[in-house]
Amino acid sequence: MASLHITRVKREFREVVSSEEAQKSQIKIEIIDESDLTKLKGTVIGPPDTPFEGGTYILDIRIPDTYPFNPPKVKFVTKIWHPNISSVTGAICLDILKDQWAAAMTLRTVLLSIQALLQAAEPDDPQDAVVAKQYKGDPELYRKTAKHWAQTYAGAPKTTDDAEISAKIDTLLQMGITETKAREALSTHSWNLEAAVDSLFT
Amino acid sequence: MAFDSQESQTSSVGDYYESEEEEEDDYKYFEEEDLMEDSETFSKENSDPEWYEHSCMPSQEVWSIIKKEVCQLSQDLQVTDPIARLLLYSTKWDKSLAVSKFNGDKNQFFIDAHIHPSKPKRQPLEPCTECPICFSSDDANYQLYCGHSFCCDCWISYIISKLERGVSLGIECMDCDVLMGFEVIDTLLVKRSSVIRRYYQLALSQIVESHPLLRWCPGRDCDMVFAVKEPLPKRIQCTHCNLATCFQCGEEYHSPTDCESFKNWLLKCRDDSETAHYITSNTKDCPKCSSAIEKNGGCNHIRCTKCSFDFCWMCLSAWAKHNNEYYACSRYQADPDVMKAKVTKAREALKKYIFYFERWDNHHKSLLLEEETRFKIQTRIKEQVSNGEGTWIDWQYLLDAADLLRKCRYTLKYTYPRAYWMIGDKKHLFEYQQAQLELEIENLSWKVERATITDRADLERQMAVTEIRRVTLLRDFKHY
Ligand SMILES: [Zn+2]
Ligand SMILES: [Zn+2]
Ligand SMILES: [Zn+2]
Ligand SMILES: [Zn+2]
Ligand SMILES: [Zn+2]
Ligand SMILES: [Zn+2]
Ligand SMILES: [Zn+2]
């Protein structure tokens, strides 16, 4: 008999594939290697009326051998600007992936909860302090930044003109900074070019 | 049930509070010397400020204390033992709190105690025989009080995964926050004796750690637990490893210093760089955080290793002020009083600490030497007895003297942290009594070292006087 965590993954994989949400291509789960079912690739589509709308977010899912008694380890592979997700590592701060996990939950529950997190952030329990501060202090700037990241990294449709943003990034590129670093520095410093330069060169 | 099997090994709770034989010994000094004629009329606590009702037991005996507390509550509230145990667990073994919460919003109390689920069940589970975790229908399902039902194998794997993470009493249902009581654990783990043992082992440590009237003996590999009737910063002494501990904070027994001051004192002592730097002449104190800084090389731009403050070695002001005009600092030197006052203050603080530390450390070392003295006395008595010069009983007073000396020296050592943090008139009085105690202890020490040639009556008089000084100081300067 196969061990419990593998039996569960097989069953849950079928559950996600046949789910209503998968039919509407809102969530997806893929097996990377048939011989190793402990590593999976998840996909969540950015929900409507959010800065992430239309973006495709890839998740790295690891199943511990104590699954489902312990939660799966999930992180974002696609870069994202969100208070509960690290803009650097992709680590997610979500209660059900920690102490609120219950063995009766499934990968489908996890993917839907992550999608719900994109819909409603919880800035009081932040993973990324900088993003959380911006979210609370300057929501308009937060939306703008998050949207820019969604268009850049998650392939969200371009709906706004980012000429100003592009110009600032270009300035940093000419100073020899990589594009990722430039975007991170500018986002962190509220798109203030001077402050971003200071942070990069001190 | 595991709980019952524990009980058979233990005696009744009443036995724990036995009389303190060691304490009794101390009284004879008063009685013999007539120095306190009315000592017998004093209650134990009045005559001995260190007296503290406590018991020391092998940890397994804690189960019968817990069982008794659970039984009392279950009778008072007319609930089952498992319910009473969960209620006590939620109030950290505070029975009166449990009773008042029970008589208040009982439903909320049951939710807080994780007896009732905090959220209603997400969906009614279909009446199927298949386990929702492993999808197998081979095994019989076990249903918890909340209605959630899984197969026994899954429950067991789940419990094991929790135990591996150090959770025992706090194990909840796999699908809601209802706690699994002992009777559930016992039923599910009936065939897994090693897992059940691990569960109760973890549960026991958690109970002792959360119970306000219990404390583990901090002795290395010691399995004893202390039980008191009232939590106080007083001495508990292990009957197994002999360690003397403060019940309140769990540190070494530190009367007449209070727990907070003693903790601060230990922190100060651990940071002994302060002491070392004092010896080196090339040190100054950081003007910002007062830690001692050693100057290496000729550069006068100093950065504090502790707080990273950049300052000038010569005038002790912020380095930023001299960024462009280095010699501007002579301006500050022109006002030497300001600088001197700054330096002196920090220096004085350090000197004060060194003063108390040296005495604390000296009495600590003497205490270790007193240990040797006792051993020497023992050897000497053995020789005397084998030479036919008296019996062990005849020489017992010498060992009593050595024991008393250690006890007094111990108290004296712990007066220094107290004195260090004291201020004002109280401090003068304290240090006066401390000096008197110190004097008598040195007299006693002198006589004990020469015990075999000292007159017995003289030695016993010295013992009585020293102990009176010690007890007086402890009584006059209660630390709680
Ligand atoms: Zn099962
Ligand atoms: Zn439940
Ligand atoms: Zn001990
Ligand atoms: Zn203490
Ligand atoms: Zn310099
Ligand atoms: Zn400093
Ligand atoms: Zn200077």
Side-chain angles (χ1 to χ4, degrees):
Chain A
M1 192 190 117
S3 46
L4 176 56
H5 66 298
I6 298 300
T7 316
R8 278 274 301 222
V9 169
K10 283 182 182 159
R11 176 106 173 204
E12 289 182 31
F13 179 75
R14 287 203 301 276
E15 185 201 31
V16 175
V17 170
S18 62
S19 71
E20 198 186 313
E21 301 84 16
Q23 306 300 325
K24 289 191 252 163
S25 49
Q26 286 301 300
I27 58 170
K28 194 160 88 181
I29 199 157
E30 290 162 274
I31 292 167
I32 300 167
D33 175 359
E34 282 292 343
S35 66
D36 182 6
L37 292 178
T38 64
K39 292 192 187 88
L40 302 165
K41 180 181 162 186
T43 306
V44 168
I45 302 299
D49 303 320
T50 70
F52 316 102
E53 180 167 2
T56 305
Y57 291 93
I58 308 293
L59 303 161
D60 178 55
I61 305 172
R62 302 289 165 104
I63 309 291
D65 46 5
T66 50
Y67 186 80
F69 305 112
N70 287 321
K73 292 181 170 51
V74 186
K75 65 172 193 176
F76 273 76
V77 176
T78 310
K79 287 177 82 64
I80 182 166
W81 190 255
H82 185 285
N84 305 105
I85 301 156
S86 166
S87 59
V88 181
T89 64
I92 309 168
C93 181
L94 181 60
D95 56 356
I96 65 150
L97 291 177
K98 288 181 279 184
D99 55 330
Q100 292 302 303
W101 172 256
M105 291 178 178
T106 64
L107 293 172
R108 175 173 168 255
T109 333
V110 170
L111 292 178
L112 292 176
S113 301
I114 289 173
Q115 203 179 31
L117 189 66
L118 297 186
Q119 203 133 28
E122 288 179 36
D124 293 325
D125 184 20
Q127 171 73 39
D128 197 309
V130 176
V131 186
K133 204 176 150 211
Q134 194 181 75
Y135 180 95
K136 287 174 125 178
D138 191 345
E140 207 28 64
L141 191 67
Y142 159 77
R143 282 188 67 81
K144 192 175 137 189
T145 310
K147 202 163 184 172
H148 171 68
W149 281 53
Q151 289 170 2
T152 309
Y153 297 116
K158 292 231 184 239
T159 54
T160 46
D161 177 33
D162 281 353
E164 197 195 329
I165 286 177
S166 304
K168 283 178 180 167
I169 292 176
D170 280 346
T171 311
L172 289 179
L173 287 178
Q174 279 155 22
M175 296 168 103
I177 307 293
T178 65
E179 193 184 326
T180 315
K181 275 243 160 25
R183 185 171 292 110
E184 261 170 24
L186 284 164
S187 301
T188 306
H189 294 94
S190 308
W191 299 94
N192 179 320
L193 192 56
E194 226 170 287
V197 170
D198 269 0
S199 77
L200 287 163
F201 291 98
T202 47
Chain B
M1 197 171 114
F3 207 89
D4 288 325
S5 71
Q6 306 292 3
E7 196 215 26
S8 60
Q9 303 161 10
T10 62
S11 45
S12 87
V13 177
D15 294 345
Y16 301 142
Y17 300 105
E18 279 175 325
S19 67
E20 311 283 293
E21 284 164 50
E22 200 214 332
E23 306 290 342
E24 299 275 12
D25 284 346
D26 301 338
Y27 291 111
K28 65 174 179 264
Y29 305 121
F30 303 125
E31 287 158 16
E32 281 168 13
E33 292 299 322
D34 277 352
L35 280 165
M36 281 181 67
E37 288 159 295
D38 52 353
S39 68
E40 281 178 28
T41 61
F42 275 63
S43 79
K44 269 190 158 183
E45 186 152 21
N46 276 330
S47 55
D48 180 0
E50 288 181 298
W51 185 78
Y52 186 31
E53 189 170 8
H54 71 276
S55 58
C56 182
M57 67 194 84
S59 62
Q60 285 304 318
E61 290 182 18
V62 167
W63 288 118
S64 55
I65 294 183
I66 296 301
K67 183 166 190 186
K68 197 178 157 200
E69 290 183 355
V70 166
C71 278
Q72 273 175 357
L73 187 70
S74 64
Q75 277 166 19
D76 288 3
L77 301 183
Q78 292 294 305
V79 295
T80 64
D81 279 6
I83 299 279
R85 195 182 305 112
L86 291 169
L87 293 176
L88 280 174
Y89 172 60
S90 84
T91 60
K92 291 204 159 40
W93 315 101
D94 184 337
K95 191 188 160 208
S96 50
L97 180 63
V99 171
S100 76
K101 285 183 102 173
F102 188 89
N103 293 327
D105 187 346
K106 184 175 152 189
N107 200 40
Q108 188 56 46
F109 186 27
F110 274 53
I111 290 170
D112 293 344
H114 293 233
I115 294 167
H116 291 161
S118 61
K119 289 174 222 159
K121 257 188 286 172
R122 282 181 301 168
Q123 71 230 29
L125 294 165
E126 304 123 48
C128 65
T129 51
E130 196 179 69
C131 166
I133 300 280
C134 67
F135 317 116
S136 140
S137 47
D138 307 344
D139 203 2
N141 279 4
Y142 178 89
Q143 190 176 41
L144 201 60
Y145 345 94
C146 51
H148 291 121
S149 167
F150 305 95
C151 80
C152 292
D153 276 351
C154 281
W155 277 118
I156 294 169
S157 306
Y158 170 70
I159 292 167
I160 293 172
S161 78
K162 286 287 180 187
L163 293 178
E164 277 167 1
R165 285 194 279 166
V167 185
S168 57
L169 294 175
I171 301 180
E172 296 173 345
C173 166
M174 280 197 269
D175 208 9
C176 70
D177 58 0
V178 160
L179 283 171
M180 302 175 75
F182 288 175
E183 70 297 342
V184 176
I185 298 289
D186 291 336
T187 312
L188 286 167
L189 297 178
V190 68
K191 289 181 193 131
R192 304 290 294 268
S193 57
S194 67
V195 182
I196 218 165
R197 225 176 296 128
R198 178 84 190 117
Y199 176 87
Y200 281 104
Q201 199 185 345
L202 277 172
L204 181 66
S205 6
Q206 213 183 324
I207 287 172
V208 174
E209 275 151 32
S210 64
H211 200 299
L213 301 179
L214 300 175
R215 175 177 284 287
W216 284 105
C217 170
R220 186 184 282 258
D221 296 327
C222 188
D223 184 48
M224 302 296 275
V225 171
F226 296 102
V228 298
K229 288 185 168 171
E230 187 190 2
L232 288 172
K234 297 189 79 172
R235 183 179 62 197
I236 45 176
Q237 189 150 19
C238 182
T239 53
H240 178 71
C241 74
N242 223 24
L243 199 68
T245 306
C246 164
F247 183 82
Q248 191 121 302
C249 69
E251 284 289 355
E252 59 199 89
Y253 176 59
H254 51 68
S255 186
T257 306
D258 64 281
C259 300
E260 185 65 21
S261 305
F262 186 59
K263 198 181 105 203
N264 291 335
W265 175 255
L266 289 180
L267 284 173
K268 206 164 177 49
C269 292
R270 261 163 227 159
D271 185 24
D272 58 0
S273 63
E274 229 176 355
T275 321
H277 276 279
Y278 179 72
I279 316 297
T280 354
S281 57
N282 223 6
T283 62
K284 281 188 186 175
D285 302 313
C286 167
K288 203 170 171 194
C289 73
S290 299
S291 64
I293 314 264
E294 195 174 349
K295 189 168 179 265
N296 293 310
C299 177
N300 280 318
H301 175 185
I302 305 290
R303 172 168 293 175
C304 172
T305 47
K306 204 169 167 192
C307 73
S308 297
F309 181 59
D310 287 292
F311 66 94
C312 166
W313 183 258
M314 293 172 73
C315 70
L316 295 177
S317 57
W319 187 255
K321 286 188 187 166
H322 318 40
N323 238 347
N324 304 313
E325 29 176 358
Y326 171 75
Y327 286 104
C329 77
S330 53
R331 179 159 51 96
Y332 292 97
Q333 273 184 328
D335 188 9
D337 283 353
V338 176
M339 184 194 112
K340 223 174 146 193
K342 254 186 184 174
V343 179
T344 315
K345 216 176 144 201
R347 287 271 136 185
E348 279 308 308
L350 193 56
K351 249 196 241 163
K352 178 187 161 193
Y353 165 69
I354 300 288
F355 177 89
Y356 289 97
F357 179 80
E358 273 171 0
R359 275 148 192 82
W360 150 271
D361 191 51
N362 177 46
H363 287 300
H364 173 73
K365 285 174 184 144
S366 300
L367 202 53
L368 299 177
L369 291 175
E370 259 31 306
E371 209 85 33
E372 276 174 41
T373 308
R374 192 188 193 278
F375 184 73
K376 276 187 214 149
I377 289 173
Q378 217 164 359
T379 318
R380 231 177 297 151
I381 295 177
K382 208 180 275 172
E383 282 168 17
Q384 304 270 43
V385 172
S386 66
N387 290 341
E389 288 177 52
T391 63
W392 274 97
I393 295 166
D394 297 329
W395 297 107
Q396 181 60 38
Y397 78 98
L398 285 180
L399 288 176
D400 291 345
D403 288 340
L404 182 75
L405 174 60
R406 274 195 309 184
K407 190 171 171 177
C408 293
R409 183 80 78 187
Y410 188 96
T411 302
L412 182 59
K413 175 186 168 191
Y414 291 87
T415 59
Y416 283 97
R418 172 90 183 255
Y420 177 81
W421 302 106
M422 265 183 157
I423 42 162
D425 288 348
K426 209 178 164 197
K427 183 180 180 121
H428 287 125
L429 195 60
F430 185 78
E431 293 196 321
Y432 172 74
Q433 291 201 23
Q434 185 189 40
Q436 289 205 312
L437 174 62
E438 189 154 20
L439 177 72
E440 298 304 345
I441 287 177
E442 296 314 334
N443 285 340
L444 180 61
S445 186
W446 172 271
K447 286 171 185 168
V448 167
E449 270 171 40
R450 290 154 188 80
T452 37
I453 52 165
T454 308
D455 176 50
R456 176 170 177 175
D458 184 34
L459 180 63
E460 286 182 342
R461 207 160 24 244
Q462 184 63 52
M463 285 164 71
V465 169
T466 316
E467 175 66 352
I468 292 273
R469 292 260 184 266
R470 189 183 81 90
V471 169
T472 308
L473 184 141
L474 288 175
R475 195 184 307 118
D476 291 354
F477 295 92
K478 257 174 103 164
H479 62 290
Y480 58 93

